[in-house]
Amino acid sequence: MNPAQQHCFDLVRSHDKDRFLATLFAPESQQPHLLALYAFSLEVARIRHVVSEPQIGLIRLQWWRDTLDAIYDGTAAGHPVAEALAAAIAAGNLPKQPLQDLVTAHEFDLFADPMPDITTLEAYLGETNSALIQLAAMLLDPVGARGAAEAAGLAGVAHGLTMVLSDPARRGQYLPSGMTVTAAIAHARRRLAEARALLPHLNAGVRPAFLSVGLTDLYLRRIERSPDQPLAVTQFRRQLTLWYHARRDSF
């Protein structure tokens, strides 16, 4: 593991424990590339937490769009996540558009505008969460990933909506007006069931890309039990749940 990949390893381990733990069940040769992809997503998503006003956030998002252009032109350098991401893109022949769309989707985070409706919310989750699953599937099994897009779309919405629900402070912006926590939980469960119905059609090679989605049931039960509290689940319980799904080749 080179220094850029080690940086991504440390970043994801510290700030996205679920995907970090799930990655440990993927083939060792692909783990650095998966972590680079997840580190990129983290860097973009956390911009909203480190800027004082939207315009600064937009500038930082544009920097990532320009950096993606440079990666695909073969000229990116100087940032460890960009360096590791460039290697992942080359290894998986990843397309640029979903990565660019992920960056653009996070513009919504910078403003106080409420999510207008469930269709817009699912589009946001698709570009920020489902896309990661599909890109990870491409890294793991390029051929198998061709049949994984629908499942990735559904699973990403289920998992992404659950993570919105896990933080009561985020719900006001991300849940559409009139959507209750109960309704959102039901919607997440419905999308999860639809994704799981496609599991028999997924190649075994892509299934580690879906593994973190296996935590969704556990999280939804906790949210249902304590809807006004931030999600709190021990790492041991998360590891045990991931191990269970990894053993069953499920999510």
Side-chain angles (χ1 to χ4, degrees):
M1 191 177 292
N2 62 41
Q5 292 171 333
Q6 183 64 51
H7 175 86
C8 294
F9 180 99
D10 295 337
L11 181 65
V12 179
R13 181 176 59 180
S14 297
H15 298 287
D16 192 348
K17 187 68 75 175
D18 291 352
R19 287 195 176 96
F20 175 79
L21 293 172
T23 299
L24 300 180
F25 292 94
E28 187 173 353
S29 62
Q30 296 303 317
Q31 290 179 16
H33 299 320
L34 291 169
L35 292 170
L37 179 64
Y38 299 149
F40 161 72
S41 176
L42 271 172
E43 286 283 2
V44 175
R46 68 180 186 171
I47 286 174
R48 68 188 179 99
H49 297 296
V50 299
V51 298
S52 57
E53 57 185 73
Q55 288 304 316
I56 298 175
L58 291 174
I59 291 169
R60 293 198 177 199
L61 290 174
Q62 184 58 48
W63 185 90
W64 275 109
R65 278 191 286 264
D66 294 341
T67 297
L68 286 169
D69 287 339
I71 289 173
Y72 281 89
D73 289 340
T75 59
H79 191 289
V81 173
E83 182 181 332
L85 180 63
I89 288 169
N93 193 27
L94 301 182
K96 179 165 69 169
Q97 194 61 52
L99 297 167
Q100 293 277 23
D101 290 344
L102 184 150
V103 175
T104 299
H106 279 291
E107 291 181 1
F108 178 84
D109 305 344
L110 303 174
F111 300 91
D113 301 331
M115 190 68 68
D117 50 50
I118 189 63
T119 301
T120 307
L121 174 59
E122 289 204 332
Y124 171 87
L125 295 175
E127 291 176 340
T128 59
N129 211 51
S130 301
L132 277 186
I133 297 174
Q134 181 64 13
L135 290 165
M138 294 178 68
L139 284 169
L140 291 165
D141 182 353
V143 175
R146 296 172 191 166
E150 184 179 1
L154 294 164
V157 168
H159 182 259
L161 180 53
T162 299
M163 299 318 295
V164 168
L165 290 168
S166 72
D167 181 2
R170 294 182 67 194
R171 295 175 191 165
Q173 180 180 9
Y174 291 91
L175 288 188
S177 176
M179 177 175 256
T180 65
V181 172
T182 300
I185 289 172
H187 191 80
R189 284 183 170 142
R190 184 161 53 251
R191 289 292 184 245
L192 181 62
E194 291 168 347
R196 284 176 169 166
L198 298 173
L199 183 59
H201 306 291
L202 294 178
N203 284 16
V206 307
R207 294 186 185 187
F210 290 79
L211 188 55
S212 62
V213 180
L215 294 165
T216 301
D217 271 334
L218 170 64
Y219 288 174
L220 289 173
R221 289 195 300 270
R222 293 293 179 90
I223 294 165
E224 204 166 33
R225 189 184 311 162
S226 303
D228 298 325
Q229 300 298 319
L231 180 67
V233 179
T234 65
Q235 181 172 320
F236 174 76
R237 184 62 189 275
R238 286 183 284 174
Q239 287 175 307
L240 187 63
T241 302
L242 290 170
W243 175 84
Y244 170 82
H245 283 292
R247 285 289 297 258
R248 291 170 58 88
D249 219 12
S250 64
F251 57 84

